[in-house]
Amino acid sequence: MRTRLLAALCLLAPAAALAAKDPRCAGKPAARAARFSDTALKGASAAERYAAYIQACALDDVVALTQTLVRFKTVSSEAPAAKNPEVAAMGRALESWAKQHGFGFRTVGDNDVFELSWGEGEPLLGLVFHGDVVPAAAHEWKRAPFKPVVEKGRLYGRGVEDDKGPIASGLVALAMAKDLGLKPQGKVLVIIGNGEESDWNGMKKYADTEPKPTHVISVDSGYPVMAAQSGFVAWTLEAPVGAALATPKEGTVARAVDVSAGEFLTQVPGTATLKLEPVKGQTPEAVLAAVKAAIAQEGPARRDLKAEAKREGSTVVLTAHGVAVHSSTADEGHNALWDLSAVASRLSLEDNGIAALLRVVAKRFDGDHHGDKLGLKYEDTLMGPLLVAPTVLRVKDGSVSLGVNMRRPQGKDAAAFNASLDAAAKRVGEDSGGQVKEGSGRYLGDPHVADTSGPLVKTLMDIYQRQRKAPDAVPGSIRGGTYARLFPRAVDFGPAFPNEPYTGHAPDESIALETLDLSTRMLAEAVHTLAIAPASEVKAAP
């Protein structure tokens, strides 16, 4: 069947020619589906007709539905699902969509999870996504983040890749199967959690209490199949800012009065800002000159340094620019905090908490993605090295704090890793003369590893290897944490392809239409193979 299916796909226009509209896709779903019926495509199997229908007609529907979902500003860190009117509004839109296409819909918890269902019986296949998104700072975007647009073959908007484009792919794939009269052998669920970017409690409760599908696919990371996930770590360092000295130490030029970097824990900061005021005996002009000199001195050591200084009244503002990326791919971006701390270390600053914490960043984090300078470094053969990213620096209520996000592989149990963090905190305290200490709220998540020899991984790998013509592809691991870790044997399948930039948490988040198209086709084939094909063709997981 698969050989004939691949041949049928090859008869259609390649994905690169997405702009060419197939005349068979005109009209309402019933009319479109009739052009891919067993009467219209004589001799073609149900799988072949479904694949042909998806490749010819799915993309426009996926783009349109993605745009609808992106327009809901479902930023969970600003308001949790229970109190977020945008989440509620998206739920109403999904319920309307489900009713229109003949699917069941229910809300679990207080808008914690939206569940769409197709078919009868026990849950056979679960497609897992999240409907919430991270913040989108308007000053970092060239486009309006919640007004999605298509430009030069890419769809732009907050959530188009993480995770609303994938939601649309899954829903359209199911709707088009239903259009053709196909039926699953058990219940197929589309499970949309609304707290993945903040509080997982709602989805965790769902996963713990609801019947678990035989196969669970999360579409929230990358290809080919991501069968392992690093453990999520949140770690905080803090120091009291302290009062200004009445008599500054000789040679001191300025006092740090404020510092800011990053928007949220899971994004490498694209900008970092330090505000300085002259100490007694100095002038704003002298501080500005000193900062500009420090930038010039640091430049030769950092060819990609982008920093500038300006006056705002009596305050001098130093700003460093990096490249914001998801913290799970921190080594693909450029942390603006590194540069800010390096320039600051060249200045004669009053020794308060802000200056002390910046010295710690310069000594223990700058240029090091893997925690070597903190004494934390280790790695695993499948999951790779520990990843460490300082992401959020803020002054609040007289204290300065640094939020650090880590992604830890298997190889160290929780007790051993906690001991390593204790030792790192001790080093930092010694570096700062006791000023900088670990803050409250340490969180240590465990790595997740699925069964790479089970039927789910084998099925998805077969689909990927054929569709991408990549016979040597093997299951991989991600540093990120997705809802897949809440379900036994669950894996991630897309949407990001290897060697393509992941823009999920970055400004101007986007996804190529070609990627969206191929992801939909592969997900549709997974739905057919795992849920629609006769049960004897896919053995249940043990």
Side-chain angles (χ1 to χ4, degrees):
M1 179 183 77
R2 287 172 176 158
T3 301
R4 293 182 63 195
L5 175 59
L6 190 57
L9 291 173
C10 291
L11 293 175
L12 297 165
L18 295 174
K21 304 294 183 181
D22 192 314
R24 295 175 297 175
C25 300
K28 295 183 178 180
R32 296 191 312 183
R35 300 177 189 121
F36 297 87
S37 67
D38 52 1
T39 301
L41 298 179
K42 293 180 180 180
S45 70
E48 291 166 346
R49 293 188 291 104
Y50 179 38
Y53 186 26
I54 287 286
Q55 184 161 344
C57 305
L59 183 60
D60 283 351
D61 289 2
V62 171
V63 170
L65 182 55
T66 302
Q67 290 177 312
T68 296
L69 297 175
V70 168
R71 292 186 184 103
F72 297 106
K73 189 180 178 182
T74 54
V75 180
S76 56
S77 63
E78 294 180 356
K83 299 179 180 180
N84 195 318
E86 293 289 315
V87 171
M90 186 177 72
R92 292 191 295 270
L94 286 168
E95 183 175 14
S96 176
W97 186 96
K99 183 177 180 179
Q100 177 185 349
H101 290 86
F103 294 115
F105 179 89
R106 70 182 181 121
T107 297
V108 182
D110 200 350
N111 286 334
D112 293 319
V113 178
F114 300 138
E115 181 193 270
L116 292 85
S117 60
W118 177 39
E120 304 294 335
E122 295 299 312
L124 176 58
L125 175 63
L127 303 178
V128 177
F129 310 90
H130 65 87
D132 63 317
V133 296
V134 295
H139 68 276
E140 293 186 346
W141 284 64
K142 297 177 182 177
R143 303 163 182 83
F146 298 101
K147 294 181 179 178
V149 295
V150 175
E151 296 178 5
K152 297 180 180 179
R154 298 188 71 86
L155 176 60
Y156 289 85
R158 177 57 89 213
V160 295
E161 185 168 30
D162 183 30
D163 222 9
K164 294 179 177 179
I167 292 173
S169 289
L171 292 177
V172 170
L174 296 185
M176 295 181 81
K178 196 170 185 297
D179 291 345
L180 291 174
L182 303 179
K183 295 181 179 180
Q185 300 297 310
K187 188 174 289 186
V188 177
L189 302 177
V190 174
I191 304 164
I192 304 170
N194 294 311
E196 199 268 352
E197 304 291 4
S198 54
D199 183 348
W200 282 37
N201 289 340
M203 182 61 107
K204 187 177 187 306
K205 183 177 180 180
Y206 176 95
D208 288 344
T209 59
E210 296 291 330
K212 294 177 176 58
T214 303
H215 305 292
V216 176
I217 302 171
S218 166
V219 190
D220 189 25
S221 61
Y223 293 111
V225 173
M226 295 301 146
Q229 298 184 9
S230 296
F232 185 97
V233 179
W235 194 50
T236 304
L237 299 174
E238 62 183 21
V241 173
L245 298 177
T247 305
K249 182 179 178 181
E250 186 177 353
T252 302
V253 173
R255 169 181 171 83
V257 295
D258 194 15
V259 69
S260 177
E263 299 294 336
F264 40 92
L265 188 66
T266 56
Q267 185 192 67
V268 169
T271 59
T273 301
L274 174 64
K275 293 185 178 180
L276 303 166
E277 290 186 355
V279 297
K280 185 177 180 181
Q282 297 289 341
T283 64
E285 291 82 5
V287 176
L288 181 61
V291 175
K292 288 184 175 180
I295 294 172
Q297 291 163 3
E298 188 63 28
R302 297 171 184 263
R303 295 181 180 178
D304 53 356
L305 176 65
K306 295 180 180 178
E308 74 269 353
K310 65 179 181 180
R311 276 189 59 183
E312 292 181 355
S314 63
T315 302
V316 173
V317 181
L318 165 63
T319 303
H321 303 276
V323 178
V325 294
H326 194 293
S327 59
S328 66
T329 58
D331 46 2
E332 296 177 8
H334 184 89
N335 198 318
L337 256 178
W338 290 356
D339 293 343
L340 187 79
S341 67
V343 174
S345 68
R346 292 183 176 273
L347 298 169
S348 297
L349 300 180
E350 184 178 295
D351 189 19
N352 64 4
I354 296 175
L357 196 46
L358 286 172
R359 289 197 303 271
V360 167
V361 173
K363 182 175 181 178
R364 297 292 181 180
F365 293 91
D366 183 15
D368 180 11
H369 289 294
H370 305 301
D372 191 22
K373 294 179 179 180
L374 285 164
L376 298 173
K377 184 176 181 179
Y378 75 102
E379 60 183 288
D380 173 73
T381 302
L382 171 64
M383 303 179 72
L386 171 74
L387 191 72
V388 177
T391 56
V392 180
L393 186 59
R394 289 286 188 278
V395 174
K396 184 179 180 181
D397 299 330
S399 293
V400 56
S401 64
L402 175 66
V404 182
N405 186 208
M406 304 183 195
R407 309 300 171 116
R408 73 181 189 100
Q410 60 184 353
K412 273 191 177 183
D413 62 20
F417 194 81
N418 272 315
S420 296
L421 287 180
D422 291 341
K426 183 179 179 181
R427 292 186 187 97
V428 166
E430 292 170 350
D431 293 341
S432 61
Q435 286 178 283
V436 180
K437 299 180 180 179
E438 180 176 357
S440 61
R442 179 191 295 189
Y443 176 81
L444 191 67
D446 292 323
H448 166 79
V449 182
D451 178 12
T452 58
S453 63
L456 178 59
V457 172
K458 288 183 177 180
T459 296
L460 298 179
M461 283 302 307
D462 176 65
I463 291 170
Y464 180 86
Q465 288 167 343
R466 287 184 292 99
Q467 292 274 16
R468 289 284 285 181
K469 296 181 175 60
D472 297 328
V474 296
S477 172
I478 60 170
R479 294 162 173 163
T482 75
Y483 281 149
R485 66 170 55 244
L486 300 179
F487 299 86
R489 300 182 301 275
V491 300
D492 276 280
F493 189 55
F497 286 107
N499 303 316
E500 289 185 5
Y502 178 75
T503 65
H505 283 201
D508 290 303
E509 179 179 345
S510 68
I511 190 168
L513 298 186
E514 190 169 349
T515 295
L516 204 55
D517 178 62
L518 182 53
S519 293
T520 305
R521 288 188 279 130
M522 290 198 293
L523 193 58
E525 186 176 348
V527 168
H528 189 277
T529 305
L530 294 167
I532 298 173
S536 60
E537 294 186 19
V538 181
K539 295 180 180 179

